[in-house]
Amino acid sequence: MTITTMETKLKFIHGFSNKIRLQILEAIKFEEKTVSQIVEETNGNQSNISQHLACLKGCGLIVSRQEGKYVYYSLRNAKIHELLDMFDLVLEDVENDVACCQNHVD
């Protein structure tokens, strides 16, 4: 793997590495939503959610579309949905180890 490919991969994974970004991805996993809907579902604030949406969009994980005065956000494609599902499946196998891991404490 080249250094450029590794750096790109790290940027991609970074999109998943934040609690709020992960909450946003889960919120739009099954249907597109507006910023207001995402804010309500995640109990966040609009400014913070908007920053994380920009990050997710920049990482290529989500897309947006404008309809009138509303912007709707959704997962980029079914592969992102599958990846979120795969995280859950893998987590089932390693959950106890992850929970006990002392290397990644907040």
Side-chain angles (χ1 to χ4, degrees), residues 71-89:
V71 178
Y72 291 86
Y73 293 90
S74 61
L75 298 180
R76 180 183 191 108
N77 56 39
K79 289 181 181 181
I80 302 299
H81 187 125
E82 291 169 13
L83 186 54
L84 291 169
D85 287 344
M86 185 60 66
F87 285 153
D88 292 338
L89 288 173

Side-chain angles (χ1 to χ4, degrees), residues 50-99:
S50 293
Q51 289 176 346
H52 286 291
L53 285 168
C55 176
L56 291 168
K57 195 170 179 182
C59 288
L61 300 177
I62 66 172
V63 293
S64 63
R65 70 174 183 85
Q66 180 112 22
E67 186 175 302
K69 66 179 184 173
Y70 297 102
V71 178
Y72 291 86
Y73 293 90
S74 61
L75 298 180
R76 180 183 191 108
N77 56 39
K79 289 181 181 181
I80 302 299
H81 187 125
E82 291 169 13
L83 186 54
L84 291 169
D85 287 344
M86 185 60 66
F87 285 153
D88 292 338
L89 288 173
V90 172
L91 185 59
E92 286 177 17
D93 289 338
V94 298
E95 187 170 8
N96 290 332
D97 294 330
V98 172

Side-chain angles (χ1 to χ4, degrees), residues 19-76:
K19 179 181 177 180
I20 294 170
R21 288 193 295 273
L22 208 48
Q23 287 176 315
I24 291 169
L25 291 169
E26 291 293 335
I28 63 174
K29 188 174 177 179
F30 297 104
E31 64 180 341
E32 65 181 6
K33 294 187 177 156
T34 65
V35 175
S36 298
Q37 291 171 313
I38 295 167
V39 166
E40 184 177 323
E41 192 166 323
T42 62
N43 294 315
N45 68 62
Q46 186 156 348
S47 175
N48 194 18
I49 296 298
S50 293
Q51 289 176 346
H52 286 291
L53 285 168
C55 176
L56 291 168
K57 195 170 179 182
C59 288
L61 300 177
I62 66 172
V63 293
S64 63
R65 70 174 183 85
Q66 180 112 22
E67 186 175 302
K69 66 179 184 173
Y70 297 102
V71 178
Y72 291 86
Y73 293 90
S74 61
L75 298 180
R76 180 183 191 108

